[in-house]
Amino acid sequence: MSRIALVVGSTGIVGQNLAARLVAEGWTVYGLARRPRHDMAGVLPIAADLLDLQNLKSALKALTPTHVFFCSWLRQETEEENCRVNSAMVRNVFEALPEPEKLEHAVLTTGMKHYLGPFEAYASGEPPQTPFREEMPRLPLANFYYDQEDELYAAAEKYGFSWSVHRPHTIIGYAVGNAMNMGSTLAVYATICRETGRPFVFPGSDVQWNSLTDLTDARQLARQLLWASTSDGGRNEAFNVVNGDVFRWKWLWPRLAAWFGLEAAPYPGHETPLEGILSQDGDLWKQISTKYGLVESQIERLASAWHTDADLGRPVECVTDLSKSRLAGFDGWQYTPDSFLDLFERLRAEKLIP
């Protein structure tokens, strides 16, 4: 049976990797973004503003997808604005489709802020009990993930399609210009340390340095999205999605350093935020780019220090239970060190880092 996917947010770290996986599986894939890429093999680009319903209706007027994958969000100044804007984006997609009743399944990707709270109250208050499990109740806080879920549930009930919600931890994968990209941020940081002789210091909290944690490879996430959208076990459920292994940063950090030919610096016992460091290195990155003939000279296109600081600076343990999707039939697994090293290899191959 022919499957037609609309990937909303196709230029992001989730959307790019998902679209590539769907194309490889033989799907017809449409990639929607405000500024869609035209160099994604097999992906048919659609340009539209998710907050402009009439513009969205015009862009989607000839499209009847079997599946919608929602992988987009816009950060706002307050969580109330996050809720208003990001829920409207989900609602508008279903309102704009000419025949939403023909949808088979819709996917929403959210994340660990479901358990940790929004940026304004990130990991504050009483620490949540780990591992995070899907049956944990919503926090008594405004959270745009909850509003997005509610829009998905309402549309599914109205139009009769099945749904799934996916909650990754920090996502490691390939995407240039992405606002939440720890992998490429650390690659830029390590490159600068190697070029300047600065110490390669873990920038996060003592808790993150010492505690168990996990991550989500964008390819692992794509596997689960594909599984849920085509399997009976994936229908009408929310699923955590992580790689399936656990680690401590004090174990992984020297392994990342070694790939760049660096020695990992001793942990200083406190946070050393990257935002304050990398915000001063724009001109230095341009010099490195010129020296090695790199294709991206704008450091902000590769590094999102603020988001990496938020993830690595958490004052609470973050470990995720993957049991629910495993019991439902999902068998994907990914070795976390390879999530980083595979990404570094690709960044080097595409001349984004030397």
Side-chain angles (χ1 to χ4, degrees):
M1 181 179 65
S2 176
R3 289 178 171 139
I4 303 170
L6 173 63
V7 178
V8 181
S10 58
T11 59
I13 194 169
V14 178
Q16 284 191 45
N17 286 274
L18 171 63
R21 180 60 186 255
L22 295 175
V23 168
E25 295 287 334
W27 291 47
T28 299
V29 180
Y30 292 86
L32 190 156
R34 282 177 295 173
R35 292 179 294 277
R37 291 178 55 174
H38 294 262
D39 60 348
M40 296 171 64
V43 179
L44 304 168
I46 298 176
D49 182 349
L50 293 172
L51 294 174
D52 185 336
L53 183 57
Q54 294 309 310
N55 171 255
L56 195 54
K57 285 183 175 180
S58 178
L60 300 179
K61 64 183 179 181
L63 188 61
T64 307
T66 59
H67 295 70
V68 168
F69 298 87
F70 202 93
C71 314
S72 182
W73 76 292
L74 288 173
R75 189 184 186 194
Q76 306 299 308
E77 289 296 320
T78 67
E79 191 60 22
E80 285 70 22
E81 277 298 289
N82 274 330
C83 292
R84 183 185 67 81
V85 168
N86 288 284
S87 62
M89 287 163 44
V90 175
R91 182 171 62 251
N92 286 349
V93 168
F94 296 115
E95 290 187 14
L97 286 171
E99 297 180 284
E101 66 278 359
K102 291 188 176 180
L103 277 173
E104 297 175 16
H105 190 88
V107 166
L108 173 66
T109 303
T110 61
M112 286 299 105
K113 288 191 291 296
H114 186 94
Y115 308 112
L116 293 168
F119 284 118
E120 292 178 3
Y122 203 34
S124 62
E126 184 70 22
Q129 183 176 342
T130 57
F132 303 137
R133 292 187 170 93
E134 294 89 342
E135 67 267 21
M136 287 179 170
R138 290 180 174 183
L139 299 173
L141 300 167
N143 190 323
F144 79 86
Y145 285 168
Y146 304 160
D147 291 72
Q148 286 186 312
E149 286 184 349
D150 290 342
E151 292 292 347
L152 175 67
Y153 303 154
E157 182 175 1
K158 181 177 182 179
Y159 299 117
F161 55 80
S162 62
W163 55 268
S164 58
V165 175
H166 303 263
R167 299 170 185 161
H169 197 167
T170 301
I171 301 171
I172 306 301
Y174 180 84
V176 177
N178 186 260
M180 301 185 296
N181 200 330
M182 179 190 288
S184 63
T185 299
L186 295 183
V188 167
Y189 174 48
T191 298
I192 288 173
C193 288
R194 186 179 63 195
E195 289 296 307
T196 61
R198 296 178 192 170
F200 187 55
V201 177
F202 179 72
S205 69
D206 179 81
V207 171
Q208 293 305 307
W209 179 248
N210 287 296
S211 297
L212 287 173
T213 191
D214 49 34
L215 293 172
T216 305
D217 191 302
R219 299 167 298 185
Q220 170 80 336
L221 175 54
R223 294 182 198 113
Q224 196 193 71
L225 300 185
L226 174 62
W227 163 79
S229 64
T230 57
S231 303
D232 289 343
R235 293 178 181 171
N236 304 326
E237 296 287 351
F239 296 106
N240 293 332
V241 51
V242 287
N243 284 349
D245 60 358
V246 293
F247 67 95
R248 302 180 201 274
W249 276 105
K250 66 181 179 181
W251 173 84
L252 182 59
W253 195 250
R255 286 158 175 80
L256 303 187
W259 192 90
F260 289 92
L262 294 168
E263 290 287 336
Y267 181 62
H270 56 77
E271 294 179 45
T272 311
L274 288 177
E275 189 167 20
I277 298 170
L278 297 184
S279 64
Q280 307 298 315
D281 284 335
D283 289 341
L284 174 59
W285 187 257
K286 289 178 181 178
Q287 295 170 19
I288 293 171
S289 177
T290 299
K291 177 180 177 180
Y292 292 102
L294 304 182
V295 298
E296 182 54 71
S297 62
Q298 302 298 314
I299 194 171
E300 62 272 11
R301 291 273 298 160
L302 295 173
S304 52
W306 68 272
H307 194 268
T308 297
D309 285 340
D311 282 353
L312 295 182
R314 292 172 183 154
V316 296
E317 179 185 71
C318 297
V319 180
T320 312
D321 184 21
L322 194 59
S323 299
K324 183 178 178 181
S325 64
R326 283 174 167 161
L327 291 170
F330 177 64
D331 60 1
W333 187 86
Q334 171 68 45
Y335 185 50
T336 292
D338 287 347
S339 297
F340 285 97
L341 304 189
D342 291 351
L343 172 62
F344 297 160
E345 291 284 1
R346 182 170 180 184
L347 293 173
R348 178 171 287 173
E350 298 196 10
K351 298 190 72 63
L352 289 161
I353 60 173

